[in-house]
Amino acid sequence: MTKPKAPPVPTKEEIREFIESSPGHVGKREIARAFHLTGPHRPLLRQLLRELEEEGAIQRGRKRRFARHGALPDVMVVEITGTDPDGELLARPLVWREEGAPPRIYMAPERRGQPALGSGDRALARLRRLSDDVYEGRTIRRISAGPARVLGVYEMTGEGGRLVPTDRRQKREFLLTKADAGEAKPGELVLADVLPGRPLGLRHARVVERLGSMTSPRAISLVAIHSHGIPTEFTPEALAQAEATGPAPAAGRDDLRPLPLVTIDGEDARDFDDAVWAEPDGDGWHVIVAIADVAWYVRPGDALDRCAYERGNSVYFPDRVVPMLPEALSNGWCSLRPDEERPCLAAHMWLDAEGALRRHRFVRGIMRSAARLTYERVQEARDGRPDDGTAPLADSVIAPLYGAWEALAAARKRRGVLELDIPERKVEVDAAGRVAQVVPRPRLDSHRLIEDFMIAANVAAAETLERLRQPVMYRVHDRPAQDRLEMLRDFLRTLDLPLAKGQDLRPQHFNRIIEKAAGTPHARLVSEVILRSQAQAVYAPENLGHFGLGLARYAHFTSPIRRYADLLVHRALIRGLGLGEGALGGEEAEKFVAIGEHISVTERRAATAERDAVNRFTTAFLADRVGSVFAARVSGVTRFGLFVTLDETGADGLVPVRSLPDDYYIHDEARHSLVGRRSGRAYRLGDAVEVLLVEAQPVTGSLVFHLLDAGAARGRPQARAGRPKR
């Protein structure tokens, strides 16, 4: 009788693939069992594992268990960083020493009765790998809470004072005794310190600052400002420095005053930091983009610079702006007001007939804006309907601008830029600060003109700094991560829209998918999912190119009033070109990595606060329409429900999973859907639905909806928006 043949010893590659495909760390016993290895083969397995570890292909964790290199352990301490666009709680490892960004961790909802984790909280979590760089975390125990300060509304109940948090993730209220409430009045927005207490039951808090009545229209943006830690007060030194500024000397500057440079901004803009001009140049164009010379007024390390660095950028709300610089500069000496002399840093650019940048040079100049124009007025003039102010400029100024832009637009099309046509919403407030209407933000050719002029100047700035061997704070937009591309491919395959593997993906590949989906019920959905597959743009001194714009190098130069990154680029140009005072300092250049990380964080903070404010304003606008029915689309799919976006206002809200028809729903992440285990009923990203508004909470900015006729979500005629339920 012959002995059964022993299984072959696996190769190192097979062992590595097995470890990488496992959802967690694995030990030698599990590896041996998977490959049917017996005692005589164990020494060889140990040797192969040792070699893989030495090569850096795998790493050893707790209890001699192995995982792919860079993998997170099964149990570790994580810190909550915020939420993703779908509202799911995100965390990161508390300790991360590897190169590159850490994996994303999605935290599972807390057990019933446990307080929700919030930004800044730390917890010991059990991790389960979902893909290469995505994990699910489940809380084992909370280690420490985030900031022990809460923003909320003071209310009186039959059982005494209560603090109702404005953060929708904070599920519990706080007790406020009369003494701890101080002078606060019911209905006021307050900041309070959380007092030590028992983990069970309501915690006590003490009011430390009163911020005004929650019924005040301006309270909405105040909530966003304080919730996200947006700095609002300048130091006395910075204010004094700003007030002491005056006109910059014209001596030594290029005189651009004879040129009819014009600013083109939104109707509600108050700071004008860029001006444009163009003229024919042979078969091409000569273009000038002139930018306010903020570096003349804000010097490295001074009081204004320290405040600007802390803020990182201006933050724009429907009813106010939190500026990066004091008003004396942002709306004064650094604003290119019409018919007033202002210092500037200007990019001269010469384009060929195809829109390619032939050459460029930067000068430090003095200018006088010929007119303050708006996008709408410029577009009207271009379309043959000028007003009294634009009629004299239509042929001499506006027509050449459009001529140069048409060349730039042709170059943009040839280059291949990711073209995602996802409408934005604009909240318009009246003089009292109340929401007048919520409308789609217009997208005119005049918007595109300024956008392409600014992109050209930003490219010229990056190229000049590279040529001069100066530090560059690049605007980096990396290629999409492989795990996101795989999820995108899986999803597009369900719509018969293949995205091929193995090719060097460029923006035009995504544009072709968008073009194929155009005119179908899935058009908006496809754009949304492609957007979610993209990497996040950041600031960094290491150039990885700008994938979305199809550019090899790119740096922000055109908005130093409102972005610290642009101020750094101005200073580097001044140093490299020997343009005088306000140049980049040596210490500043050495800190570019840390500065890039900081201003990337402040940019995300501002974007989150702006989005939060728009949501709260929209919630307040809809608060008296509870019980109305709206046409909507599913804009997010999570384990705990569906996010929907209303067609009428763009407002976002949640359809809780518990409100869906009775079933157990499985979250299919790859297909962006919730699927009923018993019924097979599926709710997918992009589905057209009718929803009933059942709850609107302006304090938290949350809207809760229920689906109507939930079994037939897709492909139905849409209801008239906002009609009462009958």
Side-chain angles (χ1 to χ4, degrees), residues 458-459 461-467 470-479 538-556 592-593:
N458 290 337
V459 170
E463 289 181 355
T464 299
L465 290 175
E466 287 186 356
R467 176 176 60 81
Q470 292 295 315
V472 188
M473 185 59 76
Y474 291 100
R475 179 63 167 175
V476 172
H477 182 222
D478 204 356
R479 296 174 177 274
V538 296
Y539 294 107
E542 179 186 1
N543 183 25
L544 299 177
H546 198 294
F547 178 79
L549 293 175
L551 294 169
R553 56 191 58 79
Y554 191 64
H556 276 163
F592 259 35
V593 172

Side-chain angles (χ1 to χ4, degrees), residues 308-368:
Y309 172 78
E310 178 192 16
R311 295 170 185 232
N313 41 257
S314 298
V315 190
Y316 294 84
F317 300 108
D319 63 338
R320 73 177 79 195
V321 177
V322 180
M324 188 179 79
L325 298 172
E327 187 174 349
L329 288 181
S330 59
N331 292 355
W333 292 110
C334 292
S335 187
L336 306 180
R337 294 174 175 175
D339 301 318
E340 296 185 17
E341 291 188 2
R342 290 290 185 267
C344 64
L345 203 61
H348 286 263
M349 297 176 287
W350 286 268
L351 314 173
D352 64 21
E354 307 301 320
L357 196 58
R358 291 191 300 209
R359 62 189 177 94
H360 49 77
R361 68 184 178 91
F362 286 82
V363 301
R364 210 169 191 182
I366 193 83
M367 63 160 286
R368 183 188 293 113

Side-chain angles (χ1 to χ4, degrees), residues 135-157:
Y135 288 75
E136 179 187 66
R138 291 189 175 275
T139 303
I140 297 174
R141 70 173 182 274
R142 187 188 302 254
I143 292 178
S144 64
R149 181 162 285 186
V150 64
L151 180 70
V153 178
Y154 174 45
E155 293 184 355
M156 284 299 298
T157 70

Side-chain angles (χ1 to χ4, degrees), residues 591-636:
K591 298 176 182 176
F592 259 35
V593 172
I595 293 173
E597 292 174 352
H598 169 73
I599 58 180
S600 296
V601 169
T602 61
E603 179 189 46
R604 289 193 293 273
R605 177 182 69 185
T608 304
E610 291 167 352
R611 186 170 58 246
D612 181 21
V614 168
N615 288 339
R616 291 176 189 274
F617 272 104
T618 309
T619 301
F621 183 60
L622 295 173
D624 62 352
R625 299 172 71 180
V626 171
S628 293
V629 176
F630 298 87
R633 285 196 176 272
V634 176
S635 56

